[in-house]
Amino acid sequence: MSASAASALDFSGPERPGAAGWKRRTLLDLVVGYGLILVVIWTPAPLRTVLYFVTLGWIGYTTWSSFSGWDAMGLRVAGFFRSLWVVGIAVLLAAGAVIFAMREQTLHGPHSAVRLIQGFWGYTVWSFFQQFLLNDFVMRRLLKLTNDRRIAVAGAAGLFALAHLPNPVLTVMTLVWGLAACLIFLRYRNLFTLGMAHAVLGICVAVTLPASVQHNMRVGLGYLRYRPHGQHHLNQMDHKVSTVVWVMAEAPTRRS
């Protein structure tokens, strides 16, 4: 492996391999962080809100304490244009799904670009955050612990999908997307294109599949408690796609 390649794979941050306790610390960061995410997903309000902010605090602290540079995290310009094809494929898949949904009369949601932006800008932001959780918080730590790309990729994708239970649609889709996103991240090291593709695919699912099938994109306790309801005002919290968005949608800041 070349020196540049080795540098690109340096996920250790301030705690280098060989330093006392680095492996135990990395495992603790991952287990506690992921455990908190699952607890939030399956906890009813109002305790859920408190646990949500505790989880954000833990993830923020562990990210800061193990910070290894913006490039290693994928927050960079390099690799953006070379990986832009991922967004193109996501748009093509979404367009095909929309056409199919129109023929099957299952297409629903905003009927203009302005309403689409109003309805899903919040989810777009959280798409990037979910890619950070998948690739930076989970996969990079698994790679640091195992030093094996295959185990890290499979493990991260599996944990990502597990967090979307018991929603069968999202569980399967996040497993497939998780595998692809991790492999693409390792090749191009850019979160921006992955976040864009994630947003396109998530919004596509929200507007093409009937709510009776995907339960308005809820996961965890929200999926089990979902009940069909009448039409209501569309905002960024009405389409609860994936873990973090569902948590935010159920927080006190939700708009009806």
Side-chain angles (χ1 to χ4, degrees), residues 51-124:
L51 292 173
Y52 167 73
F53 286 106
V54 171
T55 303
L56 277 185
W58 177 263
I59 292 172
Y61 167 72
T62 55
T63 299
W64 170 79
S65 62
S66 62
F67 183 70
S68 53
W70 299 112
D71 282 355
M73 294 176 63
L75 299 174
R76 59 179 191 162
V77 176
F80 177 82
F81 292 104
R82 291 189 297 113
S83 61
L84 200 56
W85 60 269
V86 179
V87 182
I89 290 180
V91 170
L92 289 176
L93 290 174
V98 167
I99 293 174
F100 181 80
M102 291 175 63
R103 292 179 177 177
E104 297 297 318
Q105 298 183 344
T106 61
L107 186 65
H108 56 279
H111 299 292
S112 69
V114 174
R115 292 288 290 170
L116 182 67
I117 294 174
Q118 291 176 340
F120 291 102
W121 70 267
Y123 172 65
T124 301

Side-chain angles (χ1 to χ4, degrees), residues 10 12-26 144-145:
D10 181 12
S12 57
E15 297 176 314
R16 305 294 177 182
W22 73 267
K23 196 167 187 177
R24 182 171 61 252
R25 169 62 187 277
T26 301
K144 183 178 176 182
L145 290 168

Side-chain angles (χ1 to χ4, degrees), residues 208-223:
T208 58
L209 291 182
S212 59
V213 174
Q214 35 88 352
H215 285 203
N216 210 22
M217 307 299 280
R218 294 173 182 257
V219 299
L221 191 61
Y223 179 88

